[in-house]
Amino acid sequence: MIKQTFLYSKLDELDLSMTFYSNPNGSSAKATLLYFHGGGLLYGTKDDLPEIYCKLLVENDYNLLTVDYPLAPEVKLPTIITCIKEAINWFLEHYQTALGLENSDYFLFGRSAGGFLSYLLSARYPCPEQKGLISFYGYYDLTNSAFNQPSSYYNQFPKIAPLTAQELIYPNPITEVSINERFSLYLSGRQFGNWLSYLVKTPSEKETFSLTDVELAKLPPAFLAHSAADQDVPVEVSRIASEKLSNVTYEEVEHLPHDFDGDITKNEGLQTYNALIKWLDSLVSTA
């Protein structure tokens, strides 16, 4: 497996880059997965997908392109979305010259907040080259009450006052920060029910950046995965989506936490990625 880094844009003085995972003979890959990391849009890094899954995808002829995006609250959702559109455009313009690929077929793939971005871009920025979307424990509705009121789960932990948490905000835009450094900002936001205020400029934007039932029904083929015991994003989000999307494959695991695939000692993660590859193969074979 080869890893290469490419610069796709700049935001002021901030570099926005991608990591391209491929086989040495990856030009004939079946498709490319554009990947967006999780972290509540407040923290994380583009290269957070466990290597075992990166290798599995690449060995099955699916390239992986992991994408930087600027984090909130240093920027808000409109800026994040604009940057991701630039990433998609970069891929479509450079898949031959920079990446050496024969075809521009792609899937949007995200985990948690990255799943939200995959839903949103699939609905609001459709391209004929996109063949599907992949959401692991993602969401599509910022008006969901679970995100707008204090979380009973997160309130089991010591309270972090908003003003204390906000000391973790940088003066300028950033693309990555570790969970150890900035989880407290997300934790506080979920404890006090103000997490979304870090993402949007006004409360009305919560609805702006939520998908309607009509938009859900028009989404491309989707692969969804979620844990029934998810303590962060209610499993009902994916269950409802699996009913409202017109072409969907839904995998649900039991008794595991939100990011169930993060623990590579558990079989469920690998089983889900094998199911994902089977789904991908079924789509590219009919393309």
Side-chain angles (χ1 to χ4, degrees):
M1 184 172 68
I2 299 171
K3 291 169 64 174
Q4 300 167 274
T5 301
F6 296 91
L7 184 72
Y8 77 83
S9 188
K10 288 179 79 77
L11 177 64
D12 299 326
E13 298 303 310
L14 181 68
D15 286 348
L16 300 173
S17 65
M18 302 166 152
T19 304
F20 184 55
Y21 298 74
S22 65
N23 268 325
N25 57 348
S27 63
S28 59
K30 299 169 187 172
T32 301
L33 276 58
L34 275 62
Y35 171 75
F36 311 114
H37 68 82
L41 302 178
L42 305 182
Y43 63 87
T45 173
K46 67 181 182 299
D47 293 310
D48 72 342
L49 195 64
E51 188 160 300
I52 187 174
Y53 305 138
C54 299
K55 286 183 176 178
L56 185 66
L57 289 164
V58 168
E59 287 169 0
N60 282 274
D61 293 324
Y62 294 100
N63 295 323
L64 190 65
L65 192 61
T66 64
V67 180
D68 263 344
Y69 57 85
L71 299 174
E74 287 81 3
V75 305
K76 301 294 187 179
L77 262 173
T79 301
I80 297 173
I81 298 303
T82 296
C83 291
I84 291 177
K85 288 179 180 177
E86 291 176 354
I88 295 171
N89 290 342
W90 186 94
F91 170 74
L92 293 174
E93 292 168 9
H94 296 90
Y95 72 93
Q96 289 177 307
T97 54
L99 304 181
L101 299 178
E102 295 175 0
N103 77 71
S104 56
D105 292 350
Y106 73 89
F107 293 79
L108 296 186
F109 171 26
R111 299 192 298 164
S112 197
F116 165 69
L117 296 174
S118 296
Y119 271 117
L120 199 61
L121 271 294
S122 297
R124 305 281 170 86
Y125 199 60
C127 298
E129 295 87 353
Q130 184 182 353
K131 303 308 174 186
L133 80 95
I134 304 157
S135 171
F136 278 49
Y137 38 90
Y139 46 92
Y140 51 84
D141 182 7
L142 298 186
T143 67
N144 188 312
S145 61
F147 303 143
N148 289 279
Q149 58 192 25
S151 160
S152 57
Y153 170 75
Y154 284 114
N155 273 299
Q156 298 176 86
F157 302 98
K159 281 276 181 65
I160 299 173
L163 286 177
T164 301
Q166 288 160 16
E167 293 174 1
L168 299 171
I169 299 172
Y170 285 74
N172 298 305
I174 58 172
T175 56
E176 60 179 272
V177 61
S178 72
I179 184 172
N180 292 336
E181 183 176 344
R182 205 149 83 158
F183 180 70
S184 294
L185 184 63
Y186 181 71
L187 174 60
S188 173
R190 295 301 301 270
Q191 287 176 332
F192 288 88
N194 68 329
W195 160 54
L196 294 178
S197 68
Y198 295 130
L199 312 186
V200 296
K201 296 175 182 176
T202 63
S204 64
E205 280 193 343
K206 295 177 189 177
E207 191 165 352
T208 302
F209 290 103
S210 297
L211 298 191
T212 65
D213 285 355
V214 171
E215 288 178 311
L216 288 171
K218 291 181 179 178
L219 286 172
F223 182 95
L224 311 180
H226 219 120
S227 172
D230 194 321
Q231 71 280 35
D232 184 58
V233 177
V235 67
E236 286 75 21
V237 170
S238 290
R239 289 175 178 171
I240 292 170
S242 71
E243 297 172 358
K244 292 186 175 181
L245 274 65
S246 58
N247 185 341
V248 61
T249 294
Y250 177 45
E251 296 282 329
E252 186 171 303
V253 303
E254 303 288 334
H255 312 303
L256 292 177
H258 172 60
D259 52 344
F260 69 87
D261 57 331
D263 184 352
I264 60 174
T265 67
K266 303 287 188 184
N267 291 331
E268 286 85 349
L270 199 55
Q271 289 169 355
T272 303
Y273 280 83
N274 280 317
L276 169 61
I277 288 166
K278 184 178 179 182
W279 175 81
L280 289 166
D281 284 345
S282 72
L283 286 179
V284 297
S285 66
T286 58

Short mmCIF file of all heavy atoms in Angstrom, two decimals, residues 233-283:
data_model
loop_
_atom_site.label_atom_id
_atom_site.label_comp_id
_atom_site.label_asym_id
_atom_site.label_seq_id
_atom_site.Cartn_x
_atom_site.Cartn_y
_atom_site.Cartn_z
N VAL A 233 -24.55 9.14 18.96
CA VAL A 233 -25.54 9.39 17.91
C VAL A 233 -26.59 8.28 18.01
O VAL A 233 -26.26 7.10 17.82
CB VAL A 233 -24.88 9.37 16.51
CG1 VAL A 233 -25.94 9.55 15.43
CG2 VAL A 233 -23.81 10.46 16.41
N PRO A 234 -27.83 8.61 18.31
CA PRO A 234 -28.85 7.57 18.50
C PRO A 234 -28.95 6.64 17.29
O PRO A 234 -28.97 7.10 16.14
CB PRO A 234 -30.14 8.37 18.71
CG PRO A 234 -29.69 9.71 19.18
CD PRO A 234 -28.38 9.97 18.50
N VAL A 235 -29.03 5.34 17.54
CA VAL A 235 -29.12 4.38 16.46
C VAL A 235 -30.37 4.61 15.62
O VAL A 235 -30.42 4.26 14.42
CB VAL A 235 -29.08 2.94 17.01
CG1 VAL A 235 -30.34 2.63 17.83
CG2 VAL A 235 -28.89 1.92 15.89
N GLU A 236 -31.38 5.23 16.21
CA GLU A 236 -32.62 5.51 15.46
C GLU A 236 -32.36 6.35 14.23
O GLU A 236 -33.10 6.28 13.24
CB GLU A 236 -33.64 6.20 16.37
CG GLU A 236 -34.30 5.30 17.40
CD GLU A 236 -33.38 4.97 18.56
OE1 GLU A 236 -32.40 5.71 18.80
OE2 GLU A 236 -33.63 3.96 19.25
N VAL A 237 -31.30 7.18 14.27
CA VAL A 237 -30.98 8.02 13.12
C VAL A 237 -30.75 7.15 11.88
O VAL A 237 -31.31 7.41 10.81
CB VAL A 237 -29.73 8.88 13.41
CG1 VAL A 237 -29.24 9.59 12.16
CG2 VAL A 237 -30.03 9.90 14.51
N SER A 238 -29.94 6.11 12.02
CA SER A 238 -29.66 5.25 10.87
C SER A 238 -30.84 4.32 10.57
O SER A 238 -31.09 3.98 9.40
CB SER A 238 -28.39 4.43 11.10
OG SER A 238 -27.24 5.26 11.06
N ARG A 239 -31.54 3.91 11.60
CA ARG A 239 -32.72 3.07 11.36
C ARG A 239 -33.77 3.81 10.53
O ARG A 239 -34.35 3.25 9.59
CB ARG A 239 -33.32 2.61 12.69
CG ARG A 239 -32.48 1.60 13.44
CD ARG A 239 -33.07 1.28 14.81
NE ARG A 239 -32.29 0.27 15.52
CZ ARG A 239 -32.48 -0.05 16.79
NH1 ARG A 239 -33.45 0.56 17.50
NH2 ARG A 239 -31.72 -0.98 17.37
N ILE A 240 -34.00 5.07 10.87
CA ILE A 240 -34.96 5.87 10.12
C ILE A 240 -34.46 6.12 8.70
O ILE A 240 -35.22 6.03 7.73
CB ILE A 240 -35.24 7.20 10.86
CG1 ILE A 240 -35.99 6.93 12.16
CG2 ILE A 240 -36.04 8.17 9.98
CD1 ILE A 240 -36.10 8.12 13.09
N ALA A 241 -33.17 6.42 8.58
CA ALA A 241 -32.60 6.65 7.25
C ALA A 241 -32.76 5.40 6.38
O ALA A 241 -33.04 5.50 5.18
CB ALA A 241 -31.14 7.04 7.36
N SER A 242 -32.59 4.23 6.98
CA SER A 242 -32.68 2.99 6.21
C SER A 242 -34.09 2.78 5.64
O SER A 242 -34.27 2.04 4.67
CB SER A 242 -32.28 1.79 7.06
OG SER A 242 -33.25 1.50 8.05
N GLU A 243 -35.07 3.46 6.24
CA GLU A 243 -36.44 3.38 5.73
C GLU A 243 -36.74 4.48 4.71
O GLU A 243 -37.57 4.30 3.83
CB GLU A 243 -37.44 3.49 6.90
CG GLU A 243 -37.33 2.34 7.90
CD GLU A 243 -38.18 2.57 9.15
OE1 GLU A 243 -38.82 3.65 9.23
OE2 GLU A 243 -38.21 1.69 10.02
N LYS A 244 -36.05 5.60 4.83
CA LYS A 244 -36.38 6.75 3.98
C LYS A 244 -35.55 6.81 2.70
O LYS A 244 -35.97 7.41 1.72
CB LYS A 244 -36.19 8.05 4.77
CG LYS A 244 -37.22 8.22 5.88
CD LYS A 244 -37.11 9.56 6.57
CE LYS A 244 -38.24 9.74 7.60
NZ LYS A 244 -38.18 11.05 8.27
N LEU A 245 -34.37 6.20 2.70
CA LEU A 245 -33.56 6.17 1.50
C LEU A 245 -34.11 5.13 0.53
O LEU A 245 -34.63 4.09 0.94
CB LEU A 245 -32.10 5.85 1.84
CG LEU A 245 -31.22 7.05 2.23
CD1 LEU A 245 -31.67 7.70 3.52
CD2 LEU A 245 -29.75 6.62 2.34
N SER A 246 -33.99 5.41 -0.75
CA SER A 246 -34.60 4.53 -1.75
C SER A 246 -33.76 3.29 -2.04
O SER A 246 -34.29 2.26 -2.44
CB SER A 246 -34.86 5.31 -3.04
OG SER A 246 -33.66 5.84 -3.54
N ASN A 247 -32.43 3.39 -1.83
CA ASN A 247 -31.53 2.27 -2.12
C ASN A 247 -30.50 2.21 -1.01
O ASN A 247 -29.55 2.98 -1.01
CB ASN A 247 -30.87 2.48 -3.49
CG ASN A 247 -30.01 1.31 -3.91
OD1 ASN A 247 -29.61 0.48 -3.10
ND2 ASN A 247 -29.71 1.23 -5.20
N VAL A 248 -30.69 1.32 -0.06
CA VAL A 248 -29.85 1.33 1.14
C VAL A 248 -29.53 -0.08 1.62
O VAL A 248 -30.38 -0.98 1.54
CB VAL A 248 -30.52 2.15 2.27
CG1 VAL A 248 -31.85 1.54 2.66
CG2 VAL A 248 -29.61 2.29 3.48
N THR A 249 -28.31 -0.26 2.08
CA THR A 249 -27.90 -1.46 2.79
C THR A 249 -27.52 -1.03 4.20
O THR A 249 -26.73 -0.09 4.37
CB THR A 249 -26.70 -2.13 2.10
OG1 THR A 249 -27.11 -2.62 0.82
CG2 THR A 249 -26.16 -3.28 2.94
N TYR A 250 -28.11 -1.67 5.20
CA TYR A 250 -27.91 -1.23 6.58
C TYR A 250 -27.37 -2.38 7.42
O TYR A 250 -27.96 -3.46 7.48
CB TYR A 250 -29.23 -0.72 7.17
CG TYR A 250 -29.15 -0.31 8.63
CD1 TYR A 250 -28.08 0.45 9.10
CD2 TYR A 250 -30.12 -0.70 9.55
CE1 TYR A 250 -27.99 0.83 10.44
CE2 TYR A 250 -30.06 -0.31 10.88
CZ TYR A 250 -28.98 0.44 11.32
OH TYR A 250 -28.89 0.82 12.64
N GLU A 251 -26.23 -2.12 8.08
CA GLU A 251 -25.60 -3.09 8.98
C GLU A 251 -25.68 -2.54 10.41
O GLU A 251 -25.26 -1.41 10.67
CB GLU A 251 -24.13 -3.30 8.60
CG GLU A 251 -23.92 -3.93 7.23
CD GLU A 251 -24.17 -5.42 7.23
OE1 GLU A 251 -23.94 -6.06 8.28
OE2 GLU A 251 -24.58 -5.94 6.19
N GLU A 252 -26.24 -3.33 11.33
CA GLU A 252 -26.32 -2.90 12.72
C GLU A 252 -25.62 -3.93 13.61
O GLU A 252 -25.84 -5.14 13.47
CB GLU A 252 -27.78 -2.74 13.15
CG GLU A 252 -27.95 -2.16 14.55
CD GLU A 252 -29.40 -1.79 14.86
OE1 GLU A 252 -30.00 -0.99 14.11
OE2 GLU A 252 -29.94 -2.33 15.84
N VAL A 253 -24.77 -3.43 14.50
CA VAL A 253 -24.09 -4.31 15.46
C VAL A 253 -24.69 -4.08 16.85
O VAL A 253 -25.38 -3.09 17.09
CB VAL A 253 -22.57 -4.06 15.47
CG1 VAL A 253 -21.98 -4.25 14.07
CG2 VAL A 253 -22.24 -2.68 16.01
N GLU A 254 -24.39 -4.99 17.76
CA GLU A 254 -24.98 -4.94 19.09
C GLU A 254 -23.92 -4.66 20.16
O GLU A 254 -22.75 -5.04 20.00
CB GLU A 254 -25.65 -6.29 19.43
CG GLU A 254 -26.72 -6.72 18.44
CD GLU A 254 -27.98 -5.90 18.54
OE1 GLU A 254 -28.25 -5.36 19.64
OE2 GLU A 254 -28.70 -5.80 17.52
N HIS A 255 -24.33 -3.99 21.22
CA HIS A 255 -23.56 -3.91 22.48
C HIS A 255 -22.20 -3.24 22.36
O HIS A 255 -21.35 -3.44 23.21
CB HIS A 255 -23.37 -5.32 23.08
CG HIS A 255 -24.61 -6.14 23.15
ND1 HIS A 255 -25.73 -5.72 23.82
CD2 HIS A 255 -24.90 -7.35 22.60
CE1 HIS A 255 -26.67 -6.65 23.70
NE2 HIS A 255 -26.20 -7.64 22.97
N LEU A 256 -21.99 -2.46 21.33
CA LEU A 256 -20.69 -1.79 21.16
C LEU A 256 -20.88 -0.28 21.17
O LEU A 256 -21.96 0.23 20.87
CB LEU A 256 -20.02 -2.24 19.85
CG LEU A 256 -19.57 -3.70 19.82
CD1 LEU A 256 -18.99 -4.05 18.46
CD2 LEU A 256 -18.54 -3.98 20.92
N PRO A 257 -19.83 0.47 21.49
CA PRO A 257 -19.95 1.93 21.58
C PRO A 257 -20.08 2.59 20.22
O PRO A 257 -20.03 1.94 19.17
CB PRO A 257 -18.66 2.35 22.29
CG PRO A 257 -17.69 1.27 21.97
CD PRO A 257 -18.49 0.00 21.89
N HIS A 258 -20.21 3.90 20.27
CA HIS A 258 -20.43 4.74 19.09
C HIS A 258 -19.51 4.36 17.93
O HIS A 258 -19.97 3.93 16.88
CB HIS A 258 -20.23 6.20 19.51
CG HIS A 258 -20.24 7.18 18.39
ND1 HIS A 258 -21.31 7.34 17.55
CD2 HIS A 258 -19.29 8.08 17.97
CE1 HIS A 258 -21.04 8.30 16.66
NE2 HIS A 258 -19.82 8.75 16.90
N ASP A 259 -18.20 4.50 18.11
CA ASP A 259 -17.24 4.20 17.05
C ASP A 259 -16.81 2.73 17.15
O ASP A 259 -15.65 2.42 17.40
CB ASP A 259 -16.05 5.15 17.11
CG ASP A 259 -15.40 5.21 18.49
OD1 ASP A 259 -16.04 4.77 19.47
OD2 ASP A 259 -14.26 5.69 18.58
N PHE A 260 -17.76 1.84 16.90
CA PHE A 260 -17.56 0.42 17.15
C PHE A 260 -16.42 -0.17 16.34
O PHE A 260 -15.80 -1.16 16.74
CB PHE A 260 -18.85 -0.36 16.88
CG PHE A 260 -19.24 -0.43 15.42
CD1 PHE A 260 -18.74 -1.43 14.60
CD2 PHE A 260 -20.09 0.50 14.87
CE1 PHE A 260 -19.10 -1.50 13.26
CE2 PHE A 260 -20.45 0.45 13.52
CZ PHE A 260 -19.95 -0.56 12.72
N ASP A 261 -16.11 0.42 15.19
CA ASP A 261 -15.05 -0.12 14.35
C ASP A 261 -13.67 0.35 14.79
O ASP A 261 -12.66 -0.11 14.23
CB ASP A 261 -15.29 0.25 12.88
CG ASP A 261 -15.39 1.76 12.67
OD1 ASP A 261 -15.83 2.46 13.59
OD2 ASP A 261 -15.03 2.23 11.58
N GLY A 262 -13.61 1.22 15.78
CA GLY A 262 -12.33 1.71 16.26
C GLY A 262 -11.56 0.67 17.06
O GLY A 262 -10.33 0.72 17.14
N ASP A 263 -12.27 -0.29 17.64
CA ASP A 263 -11.64 -1.36 18.42
C ASP A 263 -11.40 -2.54 17.49
O ASP A 263 -12.30 -3.35 17.24
CB ASP A 263 -12.53 -1.76 19.59
CG ASP A 263 -11.90 -2.81 20.50
OD1 ASP A 263 -10.82 -3.34 20.13
OD2 ASP A 263 -12.47 -3.10 21.55
N ILE A 264 -10.17 -2.65 16.98
CA ILE A 264 -9.90 -3.67 15.97
C ILE A 264 -9.78 -5.07 16.57
O ILE A 264 -9.62 -6.05 15.84
CB ILE A 264 -8.64 -3.32 15.14
CG1 ILE A 264 -7.41 -3.22 16.03
CG2 ILE A 264 -8.86 -2.03 14.35
CD1 ILE A 264 -6.12 -3.02 15.26
N THR A 265 -9.87 -5.16 17.89
CA THR A 265 -9.88 -6.49 18.52
C THR A 265 -11.26 -7.13 18.45
O THR A 265 -11.41 -8.33 18.71
CB THR A 265 -9.44 -6.42 19.99
OG1 THR A 265 -10.44 -5.70 20.75
CG2 THR A 265 -8.11 -5.71 20.13
N LYS A 266 -12.27 -6.33 18.09
CA LYS A 266 -13.63 -6.86 17.96
C LYS A 266 -13.88 -7.28 16.52
O LYS A 266 -13.51 -6.57 15.57
CB LYS A 266 -14.66 -5.79 18.36
CG LYS A 266 -14.49 -5.24 19.77
CD LYS A 266 -14.92 -6.24 20.82
CE LYS A 266 -14.92 -5.61 22.21
NZ LYS A 266 -15.25 -6.57 23.26
N ASN A 267 -14.54 -8.41 16.34
CA ASN A 267 -14.79 -8.92 14.99
C ASN A 267 -15.78 -8.07 14.21
O ASN A 267 -15.77 -8.06 12.98
CB ASN A 267 -15.32 -10.36 15.06
CG ASN A 267 -14.27 -11.34 15.52
OD1 ASN A 267 -13.08 -11.12 15.30
ND2 ASN A 267 -14.69 -12.40 16.18
N GLU A 268 -16.66 -7.36 14.93
CA GLU A 268 -17.75 -6.65 14.25
C GLU A 268 -17.23 -5.61 13.25
O GLU A 268 -17.84 -5.40 12.19
CB GLU A 268 -18.66 -5.97 15.27
CG GLU A 268 -19.57 -6.93 16.02
CD GLU A 268 -18.91 -7.55 17.25
OE1 GLU A 268 -17.67 -7.41 17.42
OE2 GLU A 268 -19.63 -8.17 18.05
N GLY A 269 -16.12 -4.95 13.59
CA GLY A 269 -15.60 -3.95 12.69
C GLY A 269 -15.18 -4.56 11.36
O GLY A 269 -15.61 -4.11 10.28
N LEU A 270 -14.38 -5.60 11.41
CA LEU A 270 -13.90 -6.25 10.19
C LEU A 270 -15.06 -6.86 9.40
O LEU A 270 -15.09 -6.79 8.16
CB LEU A 270 -12.87 -7.32 10.55
CG LEU A 270 -11.94 -7.78 9.43
CD1 LEU A 270 -11.20 -6.60 8.80
CD2 LEU A 270 -10.94 -8.80 9.96
N GLN A 271 -16.02 -7.42 10.10
CA GLN A 271 -17.19 -7.99 9.42
C GLN A 271 -17.96 -6.90 8.66
O GLN A 271 -18.41 -7.12 7.54
CB GLN A 271 -18.10 -8.67 10.44
CG GLN A 271 -17.54 -9.96 11.01
CD GLN A 271 -18.32 -10.48 12.21
OE1 GLN A 271 -19.26 -9.83 12.70
NE2 GLN A 271 -17.96 -11.65 12.70
N THR A 272 -18.05 -5.72 9.28
CA THR A 272 -18.79 -4.63 8.63
C THR A 272 -18.04 -4.13 7.40
O THR A 272 -18.66 -3.83 6.36
CB THR A 272 -19.02 -3.48 9.63
OG1 THR A 272 -19.71 -3.99 10.77
CG2 THR A 272 -19.86 -2.38 9.00
N TYR A 273 -16.71 -4.05 7.48
CA TYR A 273 -15.95 -3.60 6.31
C TYR A 273 -15.98 -4.64 5.20
O TYR A 273 -15.98 -4.29 4.01
CB TYR A 273 -14.52 -3.23 6.70
CG TYR A 273 -14.46 -1.84 7.32
CD1 TYR A 273 -14.74 -1.64 8.66
CD2 TYR A 273 -14.17 -0.72 6.54
CE1 TYR A 273 -14.71 -0.38 9.23
CE2 TYR A 273 -14.14 0.55 7.10
CZ TYR A 273 -14.41 0.71 8.44
OH TYR A 273 -14.40 1.97 9.00
N ASN A 274 -16.02 -5.90 5.54
CA ASN A 274 -16.18 -6.93 4.51
C ASN A 274 -17.55 -6.82 3.84
O ASN A 274 -17.66 -6.99 2.62
CB ASN A 274 -15.98 -8.32 5.11
CG ASN A 274 -14.51 -8.68 5.27
OD1 ASN A 274 -13.70 -8.42 4.38
ND2 ASN A 274 -14.14 -9.27 6.40
N ALA A 275 -18.58 -6.51 4.64
CA ALA A 275 -19.91 -6.29 4.07
C ALA A 275 -19.90 -5.04 3.17
O ALA A 275 -20.55 -5.02 2.12
CB ALA A 275 -20.94 -6.14 5.19
N LEU A 276 -19.15 -4.02 3.59
CA LEU A 276 -19.02 -2.81 2.78
C LEU A 276 -18.40 -3.13 1.42
O LEU A 276 -18.89 -2.66 0.38
CB LEU A 276 -18.18 -1.77 3.53
CG LEU A 276 -17.73 -0.55 2.73
CD1 LEU A 276 -18.92 0.25 2.22
CD2 LEU A 276 -16.80 0.33 3.57
N ILE A 277 -17.34 -3.92 1.42
CA ILE A 277 -16.67 -4.26 0.16
C ILE A 277 -17.60 -5.06 -0.75
O ILE A 277 -17.65 -4.85 -1.97
CB ILE A 277 -15.36 -5.01 0.45
CG1 ILE A 277 -14.33 -4.03 1.03
CG2 ILE A 277 -14.83 -5.69 -0.81
CD1 ILE A 277 -13.13 -4.69 1.66
N LYS A 278 -18.37 -5.96 -0.16
CA LYS A 278 -19.34 -6.73 -0.95
C LYS A 278 -20.36 -5.78 -1.58
O LYS A 278 -20.73 -5.95 -2.76
CB LYS A 278 -20.03 -7.75 -0.04
CG LYS A 278 -21.01 -8.67 -0.76
CD LYS A 278 -21.61 -9.69 0.21
CE LYS A 278 -22.61 -10.59 -0.48
NZ LYS A 278 -23.23 -11.57 0.47
N TRP A 279 -20.80 -4.78 -0.81
CA TRP A 279 -21.75 -3.79 -1.34
C TRP A 279 -21.11 -2.96 -2.45
O TRP A 279 -21.72 -2.74 -3.51
CB TRP A 279 -22.22 -2.90 -0.19
CG TRP A 279 -23.10 -1.74 -0.59
CD1 TRP A 279 -24.44 -1.77 -0.86
CD2 TRP A 279 -22.69 -0.37 -0.73
NE1 TRP A 279 -24.89 -0.51 -1.17
CE2 TRP A 279 -23.84 0.37 -1.10
CE3 TRP A 279 -21.48 0.29 -0.58
CZ2 TRP A 279 -23.80 1.74 -1.32
CZ3 TRP A 279 -21.44 1.66 -0.81
CH2 TRP A 279 -22.58 2.38 -1.19
N LEU A 280 -19.89 -2.51 -2.23
CA LEU A 280 -19.18 -1.75 -3.26
C LEU A 280 -19.06 -2.55 -4.54
O LEU A 280 -19.32 -2.04 -5.64
CB LEU A 280 -17.78 -1.36 -2.75
CG LEU A 280 -17.70 -0.29 -1.65
CD1 LEU A 280 -16.31 -0.28 -1.03
CD2 LEU A 280 -18.04 1.09 -2.22
N ASP A 281 -18.67 -3.81 -4.41
CA ASP A 281 -18.51 -4.67 -5.58
C ASP A 281 -19.83 -4.81 -6.35
O ASP A 281 -19.84 -4.84 -7.59
CB ASP A 281 -18.01 -6.05 -5.17
CG ASP A 281 -16.53 -6.08 -4.82
OD1 ASP A 281 -15.81 -5.11 -5.16
OD2 ASP A 281 -16.09 -7.07 -4.20
N SER A 282 -20.92 -4.88 -5.62
CA SER A 282 -22.22 -5.05 -6.28
C SER A 282 -22.58 -3.80 -7.10
O SER A 282 -23.25 -3.90 -8.13
CB SER A 282 -23.32 -5.33 -5.25
OG SER A 282 -23.63 -4.17 -4.49
N LEU A 283 -22.14 -2.65 -6.63
CA LEU A 283 -22.45 -1.42 -7.35
C LEU A 283 -21.53 -1.20 -8.55
O LEU A 283 -22.00 -0.83 -9.64
CB LEU A 283 -22.34 -0.21 -6.41
CG LEU A 283 -23.47 -0.06 -5.38
CD1 LEU A 283 -23.22 1.14 -4.50
CD2 LEU A 283 -24.82 0.09 -6.07
#
